């Protein structure tokens, strides 16, 4: 297994907390007339962000669902083909839905996911991502809410992993060059 070291901290725990609060304020403002909201957390990366975000939402009735988006194709670049795995039936017809993601990179995952979820006829469907890498985009996908733009570097922490490690870091870090 490759051994990666943390090169620099890109975002502190305090900075992350401020960004999450700003996102929640924007969502709460946009949802001020909503009684209900269905949050769909895209595992695994978004689990940490979603758990912070949902506790700051002021919509009276918030339902939380978890899905796993599985990409097919190249192992290093997500492909245009995404399969949704859900732990329970996604009953979102007529619902206001917010997809919560950790990061938008090429945009393949979210453009596929939103296209598939729209077929379930939600009343509205928006996407909130904690991190956005617009320079990596190769689709037209634009998230409704994006916490922070990230340079084209490999980041870990706050839910994001390298080889399933580092998701637990409370900050976001850039990894150093890898060694075998
Ligand atoms: C990450 C992230 C998004 C996707 C974004 O998931 O959580 O779902 O990649 O990439 P894209 O914009 O290029 O499609 P990943 O496949 O790493 O799974 P994980 O969340 O379980 O770590």
């Amino acid at each position: 297994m490759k051994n990666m070291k943390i090169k620099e901290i890109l975002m502190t725990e305090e900075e992350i907390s401020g960004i999450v609060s700003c996102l929640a304020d924007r969502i709460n403002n946009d949802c001020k007339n909503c009684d209900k909201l269905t949050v769909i957390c895209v595992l695994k990366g978004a689990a940490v962000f979603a758990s912070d975000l949902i506790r700051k939402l002021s919509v009276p009735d918030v339902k939380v669902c978890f899905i796993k988006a599985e990409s097919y194709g190249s192992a290093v670049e997500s492909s245009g083909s995404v399969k949704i795995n859900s732990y329970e039936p996604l009953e979102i017809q007529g619902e206001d839905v917010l997809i919560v993601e950790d990061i938008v990179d090429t945009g393949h995952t979210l453009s596929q996911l939103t296209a598939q979820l729209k077929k379930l006829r939600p009343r509205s469907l928006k996407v909130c991502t904690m991190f956005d890498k617009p320079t990596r985009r190769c689709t037209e996908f634009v998230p409704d809410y994006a916490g922070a733009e990230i340079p084209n570097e490999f980041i870990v922490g706050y839910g994001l992993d390298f080889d399933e490690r580092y998701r637990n870091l409370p900050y976001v870090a850039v990894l150093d060059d890898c060694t075998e």
Side-chain angles (χ1 to χ4, degrees), residues 42-45 68 78 101-109 161 167:
V42 186
L43 296 172
K44 297 178 189 175
K68 176 80 183 148
S78 66
E101 258 289 19
D102 54 340
I103 191 162
V104 180
D105 190 1
T106 65
H108 282 310
T109 303
D161 73 310
R167 291 193 199 272

Side-chain angles (χ1 to χ4, degrees), residues 52-71:
D52 284 344
L53 184 72
I54 58 175
R55 287 179 288 167
K56 293 179 188 288
L57 296 181
S58 56
V59 179
D61 183 357
V62 175
K63 193 165 94 181
V64 183
C65 308
F66 296 90
I67 62 170
K68 176 80 183 148
E70 211 175 314
S71 294

